[in-house]
Coordinates of all heavy atoms in Angstrom, one line a residue:
V1 N 6.9 17.6 23.5 CA 6.7 17.5 22.1 C 5.9 16.2 21.9 O 6.2 15.2 22.4 CB 8.0 17.4 21.3 CG1 7.8 17.1 19.8 CG2 8.8 18.7 21.5
S2 N 4.8 16.3 21.0 CA 4.0 15.1 20.7 C 3.6 15.2 19.2 O 3.9 16.2 18.6 CB 2.7 15.1 21.6 OG 1.9 16.2 21.3
Q3 N 3.1 14.1 18.7 CA 2.7 14.1 17.3 C 1.2 14.0 17.2 O 0.6 13.1 17.7 CB 3.3 12.9 16.7 CG 4.8 13.0 16.6 CD 5.5 11.8 15.9 OE1 4.8 10.9 15.5 NE2 6.8 11.9 15.7
K4 N 0.6 15.0 16.5 CA -0.9 15.0 16.3 C -1.0 15.4 14.8 O -0.2 16.2 14.3 CB -1.6 16.0 17.2 CG -1.3 15.9 18.6 CD -2.2 14.8 19.2 CE -2.1 14.8 20.7 NZ -2.2 13.5 21.3
P5 N -2.1 15.0 14.2 CA -2.3 15.4 12.8 C -2.8 16.8 12.7 O -3.8 17.2 13.5 CB -3.4 14.4 12.3 CG -4.1 13.9 13.5 CD -3.1 14.0 14.6
V6 N -2.2 17.6 11.9 CA -2.6 19.0 11.7 C -2.4 19.3 10.2 O -1.8 18.6 9.5 CB -1.8 20.0 12.6 CG1 -2.0 19.8 14.0 CG2 -0.3 20.0 12.2
Y7 N -3.0 20.4 9.8 CA -2.9 20.9 8.4 C -2.3 22.3 8.5 O -2.7 23.1 9.2 CB -4.2 20.9 7.7 CG -4.8 19.6 7.4 CD1 -5.9 19.2 8.2 CD2 -4.3 18.7 6.5 CE1 -6.5 17.9 8.0 CE2 -4.9 17.5 6.2 CZ -6.0 17.1 7.0 OH -6.6 15.9 6.8
V8 N -1.3 22.5 7.6 CA -0.7 23.8 7.5 C -1.3 24.4 6.2 O -1.2 23.8 5.1 CB 0.8 23.8 7.4 CG1 1.4 25.2 7.2 CG2 1.4 23.1 8.6
V9 N -2.0 25.5 6.3 CA -2.8 26.0 5.2 C -2.5 27.5 5.1 O -1.9 28.1 6.0 CB -4.3 25.8 5.4 CG1 -4.6 24.3 5.5 CG2 -4.8 26.5 6.6
K10 N -3.0 28.1 4.1 CA -3.1 29.6 4.0 C -4.5 30.0 4.4 O -5.5 29.5 3.9 CB -2.7 30.1 2.6 CG -1.3 29.9 2.3 CD -0.9 30.6 1.0 CE 0.6 30.5 0.8 NZ 1.0 31.0 -0.5
D11 N -4.6 31.0 5.3 CA -5.9 31.5 5.7 C -6.4 32.4 4.6 O -5.8 32.6 3.6 CB -5.8 32.2 7.1 CG -5.0 33.5 7.1 OD1 -4.7 34.1 6.0 OD2 -4.7 33.9 8.2
A12 N -7.6 33.0 4.9 CA -8.3 33.9 3.9 C -7.5 35.1 3.5 O -7.7 35.7 2.5 CB -9.6 34.3 4.5
N13 N -6.5 35.5 4.4 CA -5.6 36.6 4.1 C -4.3 36.2 3.4 O -3.4 37.0 3.3 CB -5.4 37.4 5.3 CG -6.7 38.0 5.9 OD1 -7.5 38.5 5.1 ND2 -6.9 37.9 7.2
G14 N -4.1 34.9 3.2 CA -2.9 34.4 2.6 C -1.8 34.1 3.6 O -0.7 33.8 3.2
R15 N -2.1 34.2 4.8 CA -1.1 33.9 5.9 C -1.1 32.4 6.2 O -2.2 31.8 6.1 CB -1.3 34.8 7.1 CG -1.1 36.2 6.9 CD -1.4 37.0 8.2 NE -2.8 36.8 8.6 CZ -3.6 37.7 9.0 NH1 -3.2 38.9 9.1 NH2 -4.8 37.4 9.3
I16 N 0.0 31.9 6.7 CA 0.1 30.5 7.1 C -0.7 30.3 8.4 O -0.6 31.2 9.3 CB 1.5 30.1 7.3 CG1 2.2 30.0 5.9 CG2 1.6 28.7 8.0 CD1 3.7 29.6 6.0
A17 N -1.5 29.3 8.4 CA -2.3 28.9 9.6 C -2.2 27.4 9.8 O -1.9 26.7 8.8 CB -3.8 29.3 9.5
V18 N -2.4 27.0 11.0 CA -2.3 25.5 11.3 C -3.7 25.2 11.9 O -4.2 25.8 12.8 CB -1.2 25.2 12.3 CG1 -1.3 23.7 12.7 CG2 0.1 25.5 11.8
L19 N -4.3 24.1 11.2 CA -5.6 23.7 11.6 C -5.6 22.3 12.3 O -4.8 21.4 11.8 CB -6.5 23.5 10.4 CG -6.7 24.8 9.5 CD1 -7.6 24.5 8.3 CD2 -7.3 25.9 10.3
S20 N -6.4 22.1 13.3 CA -6.6 20.8 13.9 C -7.3 20.0 12.9 O -8.2 20.4 12.2 CB -7.4 20.9 15.2 OG -7.8 19.6 15.6
A21 N -7.0 18.7 12.8 CA -7.7 17.7 11.9 C -8.9 17.1 12.6 O -9.6 16.3 12.0 CB -6.7 16.6 11.5
V22 N -9.2 17.6 13.8 CA -10.3 17.0 14.6 C -11.6 17.8 14.1 O -11.7 19.0 14.2 CB -10.1 17.2 16.1 CG1 -11.3 16.7 16.9 CG2 -8.9 16.4 16.5
C23 N -12.6 17.0 13.7 CA -13.9 17.7 13.2 C -14.6 18.4 14.4 O -14.6 17.9 15.5 CB -14.8 16.6 12.6 SG -16.3 17.3 11.9
T24 N -15.1 19.5 14.1 CA -15.8 20.3 15.1 C -17.2 19.8 15.4 O -17.8 20.3 16.3 CB -15.9 21.8 14.7 OG1 -16.6 21.9 13.4 CG2 -14.5 22.4 14.6
H25 N -17.6 18.8 14.7 CA -18.9 18.2 14.9 C -18.8 17.1 16.1 O -19.1 17.4 17.2 CB -19.5 17.5 13.7 CG -20.8 16.9 13.8 ND1 -21.2 15.7 13.3 CD2 -21.9 17.4 14.5 CE1 -22.4 15.4 13.6 NE2 -22.9 16.4 14.3
L26 N -18.3 16.0 15.8 CA -18.1 14.9 16.8 C -16.7 14.4 16.9 O -16.5 13.3 17.6 CB -19.1 13.8 16.5 CG -20.6 14.2 16.8 CD1 -21.5 13.0 16.3 CD2 -20.9 14.5 18.2
G27 N -15.8 15.0 16.3 CA -14.4 14.7 16.6 C -13.7 13.7 15.7 O -12.6 13.2 16.0
C28 N -14.3 13.3 14.6 CA -13.6 12.4 13.6 C -12.4 13.2 13.0 O -12.4 14.4 13.0 CB -14.6 12.0 12.5 SG -15.9 10.9 13.1
T29 N -11.5 12.4 12.5 CA -10.3 13.0 11.8 C -10.8 13.4 10.4 O -11.3 12.5 9.7 CB -9.1 12.1 11.8 OG1 -8.8 11.8 13.2 CG2 -7.9 12.7 11.1
V30 N -10.5 14.6 10.0 CA -11.0 15.1 8.7 C -9.9 15.1 7.7 O -8.9 15.7 7.9 CB -11.5 16.6 8.9 CG1 -12.1 17.1 7.5 CG2 -12.6 16.7 10.0
P31 N -10.1 14.3 6.6 CA -9.0 14.2 5.6 C -9.2 15.3 4.5 O -10.4 15.8 4.3 CB -9.2 12.8 5.0 CG -10.7 12.6 5.1 CD -11.1 13.3 6.4
W32 N -8.1 15.7 3.9 CA -8.2 16.5 2.7 C -8.6 15.7 1.5 O -7.9 14.6 1.3 CB -6.8 17.2 2.5 CG -6.7 18.0 1.2 CD1 -6.0 17.6 0.1 CD2 -7.3 19.2 0.9 NE1 -6.1 18.6 -0.9 CE2 -7.0 19.6 -0.4 CE3 -8.2 20.1 1.6 CZ2 -7.4 20.8 -1.0 CZ3 -8.6 21.2 1.0 CH2 -8.2 21.6 -0.3
I33 N -9.6 16.1 0.7 CA -10.0 15.4 -0.5 C -9.5 16.2 -1.7 O -10.2 17.2 -2.1 CB -11.5 15.1 -0.5 CG1 -12.0 14.5 0.8 CG2 -11.9 14.3 -1.7 CD1 -11.4 13.1 1.1
E34 N -8.4 15.7 -2.3 CA -7.8 16.5 -3.3 C -8.7 16.8 -4.5 O -8.7 18.0 -4.9 CB -6.5 15.8 -3.8 CG -5.7 16.5 -4.8 CD -4.9 17.7 -4.2 OE1 -4.5 17.5 -3.0 OE2 -4.8 18.7 -4.8
D35 N -9.4 15.8 -5.0 CA -10.1 16.1 -6.2 C -11.4 16.9 -6.0 O -12.0 17.4 -7.0 CB -10.5 14.8 -6.9 CG -11.4 13.9 -6.1 OD1 -11.8 14.2 -5.0 OD2 -11.8 12.8 -6.6
Q36 N -11.7 17.2 -4.8 CA -12.9 18.1 -4.5 C -12.4 19.4 -3.9 O -13.2 20.3 -3.6 CB -13.9 17.4 -3.5 CG -14.5 16.2 -4.2 CD -15.7 15.7 -3.4 OE1 -16.5 16.4 -2.9 NE2 -15.7 14.4 -3.2
N37 N -11.1 19.5 -3.6 CA -10.4 20.7 -3.1 C -11.1 21.1 -1.8 O -11.4 22.3 -1.6 CB -10.5 21.8 -4.1 CG -9.4 22.9 -3.8 OD1 -8.3 22.6 -3.3 ND2 -9.7 24.1 -4.1
R38 N -11.4 20.1 -1.0 CA -12.1 20.4 0.3 C -11.6 19.4 1.4 O -11.1 18.3 1.0 CB -13.6 20.1 0.1 CG -14.3 21.0 -0.8 CD -15.0 22.2 0.0 NE -16.0 22.9 -0.8 CZ -15.7 24.0 -1.5 NH1 -14.5 24.4 -1.6 NH2 -16.7 24.6 -2.1
F39 N -11.8 19.8 2.6 CA -11.7 18.8 3.7 C -13.1 18.3 3.9 O -14.1 19.1 4.0 CB -11.3 19.5 5.0 CG -9.9 20.1 5.0 CD1 -9.7 21.5 4.8 CD2 -8.8 19.3 5.2 CE1 -8.5 22.0 4.8 CE2 -7.5 19.9 5.2 CZ -7.4 21.2 5.0
I40 N -13.3 17.0 3.8 CA -14.6 16.4 4.0 C -14.5 15.3 5.1 O -13.8 14.3 4.9 CB -15.1 15.8 2.7 CG1 -15.2 16.9 1.6 CG2 -16.5 15.1 2.9 CD1 -15.5 16.4 0.2
C41 N -15.3 15.5 6.1 CA -15.3 14.5 7.2 C -16.0 13.2 6.8 O -17.1 13.3 6.2 CB -16.0 15.1 8.4 SG -16.0 14.1 9.8
P42 N -15.4 12.1 7.0 CA -16.0 10.8 6.6 C -17.2 10.4 7.4 O -18.0 9.5 7.0 CB -14.9 9.8 6.7 CG -14.0 10.4 7.8 CD -14.1 11.9 7.7
C43 N -17.4 11.0 8.6 CA -18.4 10.5 9.5 C -19.8 11.0 9.1 O -20.7 10.2 9.0 CB -18.1 10.9 10.9 SG -16.6 10.1 11.5
H44 N -19.9 12.3 8.9 CA -21.3 12.9 8.6 C -21.2 13.9 7.5 O -22.0 14.8 7.3 CB -21.9 13.5 9.8 CG -21.8 12.6 11.0 ND1 -20.9 12.8 12.1 CD2 -22.5 11.5 11.4 CE1 -21.1 11.9 13.0 NE2 -22.0 11.1 12.6
K45 N -20.1 13.9 6.8 CA -19.9 14.8 5.6 C -19.8 16.2 5.9 O -20.1 17.1 5.1 CB -21.0 14.5 4.5 CG -21.1 13.1 4.0 CD -19.8 12.7 3.3 CE -20.0 11.2 2.8 NZ -18.7 10.6 2.7
G46 N -19.3 16.6 7.1 CA -18.9 18.0 7.3 C -17.9 18.4 6.3 O -16.9 17.7 6.0
T47 N -18.1 19.5 5.7 CA -17.3 20.0 4.6 C -16.7 21.3 4.8 O -17.4 22.2 5.3 CB -18.1 20.0 3.3 OG1 -18.7 18.7 3.1 CG2 -17.3 20.3 2.1
F48 N -15.4 21.5 4.5 CA -14.7 22.7 4.8 C -13.8 23.1 3.6 O -13.2 22.3 3.0 CB -13.7 22.5 6.0 CG -14.4 21.9 7.2 CD1 -14.6 20.5 7.4 CD2 -14.9 22.7 8.3 CE1 -15.2 19.9 8.5 CE2 -15.5 22.1 9.4 CZ -15.6 20.8 9.5
E49 N -13.7 24.4 3.4 CA -12.8 24.9 2.4 C -11.4 24.7 2.8 O -11.1 24.4 3.9 CB -13.1 26.4 2.2 CG -14.4 26.8 1.6 CD -14.5 28.3 1.4 OE1 -13.7 29.1 2.0 OE2 -15.5 28.7 0.7
S50 N -10.5 25.0 1.9 CA -9.1 24.8 2.1 C -8.6 25.7 3.3 O -7.5 25.4 3.9 CB -8.2 25.1 0.9 OG -8.4 26.4 0.4
T51 N -9.3 26.8 3.6 CA -8.9 27.6 4.7 C -9.5 27.1 6.0 O -9.2 27.7 7.1 CB -9.5 29.1 4.5 OG1 -11.0 28.9 4.4 CG2 -9.0 29.7 3.2
G52 N -10.3 26.1 6.0 CA -10.9 25.5 7.2 C -12.3 26.1 7.4 O -13.0 25.6 8.3
K53 N -12.8 26.9 6.5 CA -14.2 27.5 6.7 C -15.2 26.4 6.4 O -15.1 25.8 5.4 CB -14.3 28.7 5.7 CG -15.7 29.3 5.8 CD -15.8 30.5 4.8 CE -17.1 31.1 4.7 NZ -18.0 31.1 5.8
V54 N -16.2 26.3 7.3 CA -17.2 25.3 7.1 C -18.1 25.7 6.0 O -18.6 26.9 5.9 CB -18.0 25.0 8.4 CG1 -18.8 26.2 8.9 CG2 -18.9 23.8 8.3
V55 N -18.4 24.8 5.1 CA -19.3 25.1 3.9 C -20.5 24.1 3.8 O -21.3 24.3 2.9 CB -18.5 25.2 2.6 CG1 -17.6 26.5 2.6 CG2 -17.7 24.0 2.3
G56 N -20.5 23.1 4.6 CA -21.6 22.1 4.5 C -21.6 21.1 5.6 O -20.6 20.9 6.3
G57 N -22.7 20.4 5.7 CA -22.8 19.3 6.7 C -23.1 19.9 8.1 O -23.3 21.0 8.3
P58 N -23.0 19.0 9.1 CA -23.4 19.4 10.5 C -22.4 20.1 11.3 O -22.7 20.4 12.5 CB -23.8 18.0 11.1 CG -22.8 17.1 10.4 CD -22.7 17.6 9.0
A59 N -21.2 20.2 10.9 CA -20.2 20.9 11.7 C -20.6 22.3 12.1 O -21.0 23.1 11.3 CB -18.8 20.9 11.0
P60 N -20.6 22.6 13.4 CA -21.1 23.9 13.9 C -20.2 25.1 13.7 O -20.6 26.2 13.9 CB -21.3 23.6 15.4 CG -20.3 22.6 15.7 CD -20.1 21.7 14.5
R61 N -18.9 24.8 13.3 CA -18.0 26.0 13.2 C -16.9 25.5 12.2 O -16.7 24.3 11.9 CB -17.5 26.5 14.5 CG -16.6 25.5 15.2 CD -16.0 26.0 16.5 NE -15.1 25.1 17.1 CZ -15.4 24.1 18.0 NH1 -16.6 24.0 18.3 NH2 -14.5 23.3 18.4
D62 N -16.1 26.5 11.9 CA -14.9 26.2 11.0 C -13.9 25.2 11.7 O -14.0 25.0 13.0 CB -14.1 27.5 10.8 CG -15.0 28.5 10.0 OD1 -16.0 28.2 9.4 OD2 -14.5 29.7 10.0
M63 N -13.0 24.7 11.0 CA -12.0 23.9 11.6 C -11.2 24.8 12.6 O -11.1 26.0 12.3 CB -11.0 23.3 10.5 CG -11.7 22.3 9.6 SD -10.7 21.8 8.2 CE -9.6 20.7 9.0
D64 N -10.7 24.2 13.6 CA -10.0 25.0 14.7 C -8.6 25.3 14.3 O -7.8 24.4 14.1 CB -10.1 24.2 16.0 CG -11.5 24.1 16.5 OD1 -12.3 25.1 16.5 OD2 -11.9 23.0 16.9
A65 N -8.3 26.6 14.3 CA -6.9 27.0 14.1 C -6.2 26.9 15.4 O -6.7 27.1 16.5 CB -6.9 28.5 13.6
L66 N -4.9 26.5 15.3 CA -4.1 26.3 16.5 C -3.1 27.4 16.6 O -2.6 27.9 15.6 CB -3.4 25.0 16.4 CG -4.3 23.7 16.4 CD1 -3.6 22.5 15.9 CD2 -4.8 23.5 17.8
P67 N -2.7 27.8 17.9 CA -1.6 28.8 18.0 C -0.3 28.3 17.4 O 0.0 27.1 17.7 CB -1.5 28.9 19.6 CG -2.8 28.4 20.1 CD -3.3 27.4 19.2
M68 N 0.3 29.1 16.7 CA 1.6 28.6 16.0 C 2.5 29.8 15.9 O 2.1 31.0 16.0 CB 1.3 28.0 14.6 CG 0.6 28.9 13.6 SD 1.6 30.1 12.8 CE 2.4 29.0 11.6
K69 N 3.8 29.5 15.6 CA 4.8 30.5 15.3 C 5.8 29.8 14.5 O 6.0 28.6 14.4 CB 5.4 31.1 16.6 CG 6.1 30.1 17.4 CD 6.6 30.7 18.7 CE 7.3 29.7 19.6 NZ 7.7 30.2 20.9
I70 N 6.6 30.6 13.7 CA 7.6 30.1 12.9 C 9.0 30.6 13.4 O 9.2 31.8 13.6 CB 7.5 30.5 11.4 CG1 6.1 30.0 10.9 CG2 8.6 30.0 10.6 CD1 5.8 30.5 9.5
E71 N 9.8 29.6 13.8 CA 11.2 30.0 14.4 C 12.2 29.3 13.5 O 12.2 28.1 13.4 CB 11.3 29.5 15.8 CG 10.5 30.4 16.8 CD 10.8 29.9 18.2 OE1 11.5 28.9 18.5 OE2 10.3 30.6 19.1
D72 N 13.1 30.1 13.0 CA 14.2 29.5 12.1 C 13.7 28.6 11.1 O 14.2 27.5 10.8 CB 15.2 28.8 13.0 CG 15.9 29.7 14.0 OD1 16.1 30.9 13.7 OD2 16.2 29.3 15.1
G73 N 12.5 29.0 10.5 CA 12.0 28.2 9.4 C 11.2 26.9 9.8 O 10.8 26.2 9.0
V74 N 11.0 26.8 11.1 CA 10.3 25.6 11.7 C 9.0 26.1 12.2 O 8.9 27.0 13.0 CB 11.1 24.9 12.8 CG1 10.3 23.8 13.4 CG2 12.4 24.4 12.2
V75 N 7.9 25.4 11.8 CA 6.5 25.7 12.3 C 6.4 25.0 13.6 O 6.5 23.8 13.7 CB 5.4 25.3 11.3 CG1 4.1 25.6 11.9 CG2 5.6 26.0 10.0
K76 N 6.1 25.8 14.7 CA 5.9 25.3 16.0 C 4.5 25.5 16.4 O 4.0 26.6 16.3 CB 6.9 25.9 17.0 CG 8.3 25.6 16.7 CD 9.2 26.1 17.8 CE 10.7 25.7 17.5 NZ 11.6 26.1 18.5
V77 N 3.8 24.5 16.8 CA 2.3 24.5 17.1 C 2.1 24.2 18.6 O 2.6 23.2 19.1 CB 1.6 23.5 16.2 CG1 0.1 23.5 16.5 CG2 1.9 23.8 14.7
Q78 N 1.2 25.0 19.2 CA 0.7 24.6 20.5 C -0.6 23.8 20.3 O -1.6 24.4 19.9 CB 0.4 25.9 21.3 CG -0.1 25.5 22.7 CD -0.5 26.7 23.5 OE1 -0.3 27.9 23.0 NE2 -1.1 26.5 24.6
Y79 N -0.5 22.5 20.4 CA -1.7 21.7 20.2 C -2.7 21.9 21.3 O -2.4 21.9 22.5 CB -1.3 20.2 20.0 CG -2.4 19.5 19.4 CD1 -2.6 19.4 18.0 CD2 -3.4 18.8 20.1 CE1 -3.6 18.8 17.4 CE2 -4.5 18.2 19.5 CZ -4.6 18.2 18.1 OH -5.6 17.5 17.5
Q80 N -4.0 22.0 20.9 CA -5.1 22.1 21.8 C -6.2 21.2 21.4 O -6.4 20.9 20.2 CB -5.6 23.6 21.9 CG -4.5 24.6 22.4 CD -5.0 26.0 22.3 OE1 -5.6 26.4 21.2 NE2 -4.7 26.8 23.3
F81 N -7.1 20.9 22.4 CA -8.3 20.2 22.1 C -9.4 21.2 22.4 O -9.4 22.0 23.3 CB -8.5 19.0 23.0 CG -7.5 17.9 22.8 CD1 -6.2 17.8 23.4 CD2 -7.7 16.9 21.8 CE1 -5.3 16.8 23.2 CE2 -6.8 15.9 21.5 CZ -5.6 15.9 22.2
F82 N -10.5 21.1 21.5 CA -11.6 22.0 21.6 C -12.9 21.2 21.8 O -13.0 20.1 21.4 CB -11.7 22.8 20.3 CG -10.4 23.6 20.1 CD1 -9.5 23.0 19.2 CD2 -10.2 24.8 20.6 CE1 -8.3 23.7 19.0 CE2 -9.0 25.5 20.4 CZ -8.1 25.0 19.5
R83 N -13.9 21.9 22.5 CA -15.2 21.2 22.6 C -15.9 21.1 21.3 O -15.9 22.0 20.5 CB -16.0 22.1 23.6 CG -17.3 21.4 24.0 CD -18.1 22.2 25.1 NE -17.3 22.5 26.2 CZ -16.9 21.7 27.2 NH1 -17.3 20.5 27.2 NH2 -16.1 22.1 28.2
Q84 N -16.5 19.9 21.1 CA -17.2 19.7 19.8 C -18.7 20.2 20.0 O -19.1 20.4 21.1 CB -17.2 18.2 19.5 CG -16.1 17.7 18.6 CD -14.9 17.3 19.4 OE1 -15.0 16.6 20.4 NE2 -13.7 17.7 19.0
L85 N -19.4 20.3 18.9 CA -20.8 20.6 18.9 C -21.2 22.0 19.4 O -22.3 22.2 19.7 CB -21.6 19.5 19.7 CG -21.7 18.2 19.1 CD1 -22.4 17.2 20.1 CD2 -22.5 18.2 17.8
T86 N -20.2 22.9 19.4 CA -20.6 24.2 19.8 C -20.2 25.2 18.7 O -19.2 25.0 18.1 CB -19.8 24.6 21.1 OG1 -18.4 24.6 20.9 CG2 -20.2 23.7 22.3
P87 N -20.9 26.3 18.5 CA -20.6 27.2 17.5 C -19.4 28.1 17.8 O -18.8 28.6 16.9 CB -21.9 28.1 17.4 CG -22.5 27.9 18.7 CD -22.2 26.6 19.2
N88 N -19.0 28.2 19.1 CA -17.9 29.0 19.5 C -16.7 28.0 19.9 O -17.0 27.0 20.6 CB -18.2 29.9 20.6 CG -19.3 30.9 20.2 OD1 -19.3 31.5 19.2 ND2 -20.3 31.0 21.1
K89 N -15.6 28.4 19.5 CA -14.3 27.7 19.8 C -14.0 27.8 21.3 O -13.9 28.9 21.8 CB -13.2 28.2 19.0 CG -11.9 27.5 19.0 CD -11.0 28.1 17.9 CE -9.6 28.0 18.3 NZ -8.7 28.7 17.3
E90 N -14.0 26.6 22.0 CA -13.7 26.6 23.4 C -12.6 25.6 23.7 O -12.8 24.4 23.5 CB -15.0 26.2 24.2 CG -14.8 26.2 25.7 CD -16.1 25.7 26.4 OE1 -17.2 25.7 25.7 OE2 -16.0 25.3 27.5
V91 N -11.5 26.0 24.3 CA -10.4 25.1 24.6 C -10.8 24.3 25.8 O -11.2 24.8 26.8 CB -9.1 25.9 24.9 CG1 -8.0 25.0 25.3 CG2 -8.7 26.8 23.7
I92 N -10.6 22.9 25.7 CA -10.8 22.1 26.9 C -9.6 21.4 27.4 O -9.6 20.8 28.4 CB -11.9 21.1 26.6 CG1 -11.6 20.2 25.4 CG2 -13.3 21.8 26.4 CD1 -12.6 19.0 25.1
A93 N -8.5 21.4 26.6 CA -7.2 20.8 27.1 C -6.1 21.3 26.2 O -6.3 21.6 25.0 CB -7.3 19.3 27.1
Ligands
FES1 FE1 -17.4 15.3 11.3 FE2 -19.8 14.6 12.1 S1 -17.8 14.1 13.0 S2 -19.3 15.7 10.4

C-alpha cells in the first residue's frame, strides 16, 4: 500500500473511475480548478474535462485511468505509471 494523488470521478457513462494526477504531457501534477470545472496543468496549461478527457493544451491524451475495484465500500486502486508524450497509454511501471 502506498499513497499517490488520484482523482475519483465519474466517467462519460456515469461510472466511477480513478484518474492518475500525473499529466500525460511531461508529468506535472494536475490540479482540479473548481471555478473552471476543469483539470488544468500548471506547467503548460494542458486542460482536461471532469472525466479526464483532454480538451486543450499540449497533452497528447486523456488523463490516465487506473485499474480499480470497490470492495466493501472501499475504492482500491492499482497505481501505475505511464509513458508521457505519447498518444497511446503505455504502462511503464
Ligand atoms: Fe502538463 Fe505540460 S506537463 S501540460
Side-chain angles (χ1 to χ4, degrees):
V1 176
S2 65
Q3 294 182 355
K4 304 282 188 211
V6 298
Y7 293 105
V8 179
V9 301
K10 286 188 177 175
D11 68 15
N13 297 315
R15 293 180 300 226
I16 289 177
V18 177
L19 303 177
S20 170
V22 177
C23 185
T24 58
H25 181 225
L26 290 175
C28 293
T29 299
V30 182
W32 172 252
I33 307 300
E34 184 72 35
D35 64 357
Q36 297 190 45
N37 201 33
R38 295 265 195 267
F39 296 101
I40 301 175
C41 183
C43 295
H44 314 102
K45 302 298 181 203
T47 304
F48 307 86
E49 292 181 345
S50 62
T51 59
K53 178 177 173 37
V54 66
V55 291
R61 65 176 185 272
D62 297 345
M63 294 172 77
D64 294 313
L66 296 163
M68 59 81 75
K69 61 184 175 184
I70 300 174
E71 285 184 355
D72 298 325
V74 176
V75 177
K76 296 184 176 181
V77 179
Q78 178 186 356
Y79 196 83
Q80 297 175 315
F81 292 93
F82 303 93
R83 188 172 308 284
Q84 270 91 44
L85 288 174
T86 63
N88 299 314
K89 189 171 151 184
E90 180 184 344
V91 177
I92 57 173

